[in-house]
Amino acid sequence: MNEFKRHEAYVRVRGLPFDVKIDGWARQSRSVHGDEVCVLIDPSEEWERVGGGDDGDDVCASVDVDADGGRRVESMAAVCRRGWRPTGIVVATVTPSARRANMVGKLEMETNEALTFVPVDEKLPKGRVSEYSVPRSIKSALESGGKEGAVDTFVSVKLRKWRRGDAKPLVDILGVVGRGSIESDLDIMTKVIVAEHRIESGDFSVEAEACLPRIDAGERWSIPTDELERRADFRDKLVFSIDPPTARDLDDALSVEVLSDGDLNVGVHIADVSHFVLPNTALDAEARTRGTTTYLVHTIFPMLPRLLCENLCSLNPGVERLSFSVEWTMTKEGVVKNVSFKRGVIKSAAKLSYIHVQNVIDAGTDVQAAKDALDGVEISGEHAIEDIIESIEILHHAAKSMRKR
């Protein structure tokens, strides 16, 4: 759906360079953004001209018709490439969009005192609110405040039915998200985003938390001896992380070593979450449900418990951590000769930010400026600031050479 022109919709058809345009409410046949639909494509003579064609024909070419009356995708694609967009009409909904089961928006009172649902996502349809689904809290607000009682009330709804001939579908209120201005109220804005995208924002279950080692306040988790013995040992290598300045979950780190023949050994070390999140456990199931960590401007909703993200699997400096490591043997110009994958143990020497690294790169041959760029960075182990600067310069040279190729 075109959020700026709701009467326009487009359907992607595999093999066609242009989406099929569905223009007009009647032609959309009560379909909803995200539906998988069947489309009857208009005769090519009714297609519309668009820019970018292979020629300047003002008359659309005809499309070859099969013996059974069908039109081949290859023939339609050839006409599209001459600068014509196919048009059509939706004749059936094959797979309804998941959005039908959860839409978020605010309520408005019509002149006939009927409630209308206005979605936040303008690609979705407005809806008539079924009277029986209106919560008591909203009914009370309407009774005491009249039309103003519904102002800036955000709800989640599901589409119950959309009868032929109705301009709007009938929707049922599933719950009240909150009340306030989405433009100026950060709390209500967050609640709307969470509800609209079904983001899991609650605490982790007791069963999921129980899958992790129990760490008391101030206690540091240690890698079991048997786990150390079965892993590659990178603890003596110069390893450092590069993240945003405010990052707390440091999940990857870098290392580079110049070999005796002049080649490089470049390592990328990823926090080995799989050691803690075992298959088919309560934690695994909850992580699958959440799917990803969701970052908003002012907060995050993690996919995994904070104990795991910010402690057990955070590659903090001076702390031994489990890793899944990839090592490349390459020339100084970044030509890869060999690659290997290992489960390892690392001890990061420093936590750098993107700003730190960029300032070192910008310093060029000015050694003092490069050192000043890392002023305040704590370095653990037997490594020196000069070692980190040299590693950054080597990696930067290899990266530039690779991009140039």
Side-chain angles (χ1 to χ4, degrees):
M1 299 294 179
N2 184 336
E3 60 184 307
F4 304 106
K5 298 179 180 178
R6 271 283 289 118
H7 61 87
E8 284 185 5
Y10 296 86
V11 176
R12 185 175 296 111
V13 177
R14 185 176 299 173
L16 294 185
F18 292 134
D19 295 341
V20 179
K21 183 178 180 179
I22 313 296
D23 196 359
W25 308 109
R27 290 193 143 227
Q28 293 176 15
S29 303
R30 309 185 307 283
S31 55
V32 172
H33 178 70
D35 284 350
E36 183 179 339
V37 298
C38 283
V39 173
L40 177 63
I41 296 179
D42 295 330
S44 57
E45 293 79 9
E46 299 177 18
W47 294 8
E48 66 176 28
R49 194 78 167 102
V50 293
D54 290 342
D55 56 42
D57 291 349
D58 293 327
V59 179
C60 185
S62 60
V63 175
D64 293 340
V65 178
D66 296 332
D68 60 0
R71 283 165 289 175
R72 291 180 290 138
V73 171
E74 294 83 359
S75 297
M76 289 190 286
V79 176
C80 289
R81 285 191 289 269
R82 298 177 65 178
W84 296 91
R85 180 189 294 280
T87 58
I89 181 172
V90 174
V91 295
T93 298
V94 178
T95 305
S97 169
R99 302 297 297 274
R100 290 172 176 256
N102 184 67
M103 299 185 290
V104 175
K106 63 181 180 179
L107 298 176
E108 290 185 355
M109 178 73 79
E110 299 289 344
T111 53
N112 59 359
E113 297 189 353
L115 280 176
T116 295
F117 167 77
V118 181
V120 172
D121 186 344
E122 296 183 4
K123 294 188 289 293
L124 298 172
K126 294 182 178 180
R128 297 176 294 113
V129 177
S130 60
E131 186 176 350
Y132 91 90
S133 73
V134 179
R136 183 176 299 276
S137 60
I138 294 180
K139 287 182 178 179
S140 299
L142 291 172
E143 290 171 358
S144 60
K147 189 174 181 180
E148 296 300 314
V151 172
D152 286 336
T153 299
F154 288 85
V155 296
S156 59
V157 306
K158 69 174 181 179
L159 193 156
R160 179 158 35 121
K161 62 182 177 181
W162 197 344
R163 294 177 299 194
R164 188 188 300 272
D166 286 349
K168 295 187 288 242
L170 184 68
V171 299
D172 295 331
I173 294 178
L174 300 174
V176 178
V177 175
R179 185 170 182 177
S181 170
I182 196 172
E183 285 80 20
S184 58
D185 189 329
L186 184 60
D187 181 58
I188 190 65
M189 186 187 304
T190 302
K191 289 179 178 178
V192 167
I193 292 172
V194 168
E196 183 179 18
H197 298 282
R198 292 186 173 185
I199 299 169
E200 180 55 64
S201 58
D203 294 334
F204 285 84
S205 67
V206 174
E207 293 79 10
E209 295 275 10
C211 295
L212 298 176
R214 183 171 179 175
I215 307 295
D216 295 328
E219 184 182 359
R220 177 177 290 185
W221 177 77
S222 297
I223 302 172
T225 302
D226 59 340
E227 190 64 33
L228 282 172
E229 292 174 349
R230 68 170 66 103
R231 289 174 174 260
D233 192 345
F234 300 105
R235 288 176 291 180
D236 291 335
K237 284 183 177 288
L238 173 57
V239 176
F240 53 89
S241 59
I242 307 174
D243 292 277
T246 57
R248 291 183 293 179
D249 49 341
L250 314 180
D251 54 10
D252 54 66
L254 292 168
S255 65
V256 61
E257 179 183 6
V258 181
L259 303 177
S260 58
D261 60 359
D263 285 343
L264 306 179
N265 181 277
V266 177
V268 172
H269 310 274
I270 309 296
D272 191 358
V273 181
S274 65
H275 176 79
F276 300 96
V277 185
L278 301 180
N280 304 316
T281 59
L283 182 54
D284 180 37
E286 192 151 347
R288 287 173 180 267
T289 300
R290 293 177 181 241
T292 186
T293 295
T294 302
Y295 293 85
L296 301 184
V297 172
H298 64 297
T299 189
I300 67 170
F301 301 110
M303 181 179 73
L304 296 166
R306 291 187 182 274
L307 172 62
L308 193 64
C309 300
E310 299 175 9
N311 186 337
L312 300 175
C313 283
S314 188
L315 308 181
N316 298 314
V319 182
E320 294 180 356
R321 286 291 180 254
L322 300 176
S323 69
F324 190 89
S325 300
V326 185
E327 289 188 294
W328 292 271
T329 302
M330 62 177 70
T331 67
K332 289 186 176 182
E333 284 67 43
V335 178
V336 176
K337 293 183 175 181
N338 187 44
V339 61
S340 63
F341 301 85
K342 303 169 185 175
R343 292 188 185 277
V345 181
I346 70 168
K347 182 187 282 188
S348 176
K351 173 188 175 183
L352 305 183
S353 71
Y354 299 133
I355 299 171
H356 288 135
V357 176
Q358 188 60 56
N359 286 343
V360 169
I361 292 171
D362 292 343
T365 58
D366 188 336
V367 177
Q368 188 57 50
K371 289 182 178 180
D372 292 342
L374 299 183
D375 184 43
V377 174
E378 296 183 8
I379 302 173
S380 68
E382 299 180 359
H383 308 290
I385 192 170
E386 290 84 0
D387 299 327
I388 294 179
I389 292 172
E390 182 183 14
S391 294
I392 292 172
E393 291 172 345
I394 292 171
L395 289 169
H396 179 56
H397 175 77
K400 284 200 304 181
S401 299
M402 294 174 80
R403 283 195 292 268
K404 188 177 294 185
R405 287 202 308 276

